[in-house]
Amino acid sequence: SQELEQSPQSLIVQEGKNLTINCTSSKTLYGLYWYKQKYGEGLIFLMMLQKGGEEKSHEKITAKLDEKKQQSSLHITASQPSHAGIYLCGADPFFYGQNFVFGPGTRLSVLP
Amino acid sequence: SQTIHQWPATLVQPVGSPLSLECTVEGTSNPNLYWYRQAAGRGLQLLFYSVGIGQISSEVPQNLSASRPQDRQFILSSKKLLLSDSGFYLCAWSPGTGGNQPQHFGDGTRLSIL
């Protein structure tokens, strides 16, 4: 079955610093999704990557999918306290996404 | 635009009591619907998914059941709650067609079993 690993498990950075979160799959990904979750709330969809080498950006967050489509990174530039939360990657192991799986999450704290 | 509503936001129930959590989606037709559980310190676990009315697939054997009585309504139930049913329950939807599509989540229900 598809498994996703994330690193680091948690991250504390000073406001203004850049950071990177990684998501690694045991199998080729047909779709890789990044979500953000604030404690006690639902997940907010950030970005979806489908093609090997694809890169997408939204405001100060950039996500990349490697050529082999087994690893993705989420990069935040000039972090702000509003970036704090849990970042989860999710994946479609099958085309129709009925067995969607999530990584364990990376907890990000941004110190003002 | 599409919206997803999930209620209640929090629930405290005694062991052995029944459970009913409801989720509805607006602004779309024939969505795929999902129930997840997020236990403390653990990742998201897919419990059930549905591709249409009356069509429910279960990912893990458990004390819970799901039903989809209407196209945009998804209900999570239990006849007798266990302590291990405590957790944060999330409903999600994705478009029923169009290949790879992201899932969109409700605000969640925090369930505490006493």
Side-chain angles (χ1 to χ4, degrees):
Chain A
S1 62
Q2 182 90 38
E3 291 186 356
L4 296 177
E5 297 181 353
Q6 286 186 239
S7 62
Q9 188 175 15
S10 64
L11 194 55
I12 303 174
V13 300
Q14 201 73 37
E15 182 178 359
K17 296 295 186 182
N18 303 335
L19 62 104
T20 299
I21 298 169
N22 294 301
C23 175
T24 303
S25 169
S26 58
K27 296 182 180 179
T28 300
L29 300 164
Y30 287 98
L32 189 286
Y33 306 81
W34 282 101
Y35 289 85
K36 178 185 175 184
Q37 183 183 28
K38 294 203 169 183
Y39 180 75
E41 300 181 9
L43 279 66
I44 298 170
F45 169 67
L46 297 176
M47 280 174 280
M48 178 177 79
L49 304 167
Q50 287 186 280
K51 299 176 183 177
E54 186 175 9
E55 178 176 322
K56 286 188 177 178
S57 294
H58 176 67
E59 298 180 345
K60 294 185 179 180
I61 301 176
T62 300
K64 300 178 185 180
L65 182 62
D66 75 340
E67 290 290 343
K68 293 183 178 180
K69 296 175 64 176
Q70 285 190 273
Q71 187 166 356
S72 178
S73 61
L74 186 81
H75 184 77
I76 299 178
T77 303
S79 59
Q80 301 170 355
S82 60
H83 287 127
I86 300 172
Y87 289 82
L88 298 99
C89 60
D92 274 329
F94 303 106
F95 183 73
Y96 291 106
Q98 292 182 350
N99 294 317
F100 206 92
V101 294
F102 283 91
T106 295
R107 184 179 295 273
L108 171 65
S109 300
V110 181
L111 304 178
Chain B
S1 64
Q2 302 87 2
T3 57
I4 179 169
H5 302 280
Q6 189 180 339
W7 68 93
T10 59
L11 191 58
V12 181
Q13 292 282 99
V15 171
S17 64
L19 172 74
S20 181
L21 302 181
E22 191 162 342
C23 173
T24 59
V25 180
E26 296 177 358
T28 187
S29 296
N30 197 32
N32 295 327
L33 296 172
Y34 310 83
W35 278 111
Y36 288 88
R37 176 169 56 205
Q38 189 175 35
R42 300 172 69 177
L44 279 167
Q45 180 185 35
L46 179 63
L47 302 175
F48 300 96
Y49 66 89
S50 172
V51 298
I53 296 175
Q55 300 179 62
I56 309 293
S57 296
S58 175
E59 286 295 293
V60 293
Q62 58 203 312
N63 184 42
L64 302 169
S65 63
S67 62
R68 184 171 178 173
Q70 300 180 40
D71 181 44
R72 291 170 290 174
Q73 183 184 27
F74 206 23
I75 297 172
L76 183 68
S77 304
S78 174
K79 291 182 179 179
K80 286 188 178 181
L81 285 167
L82 306 172
L83 282 174
S84 58
D85 291 324
S86 291
F88 191 53
Y89 288 82
L90 289 157
C91 180
W93 76 273
S94 67
T97 57
N100 298 86
Q101 297 279 355
Q103 295 181 13
H104 302 277
F105 287 78
D107 292 332
T109 295
R110 184 158 301 281
L111 176 63
S112 299
I113 309 300
L114 304 179

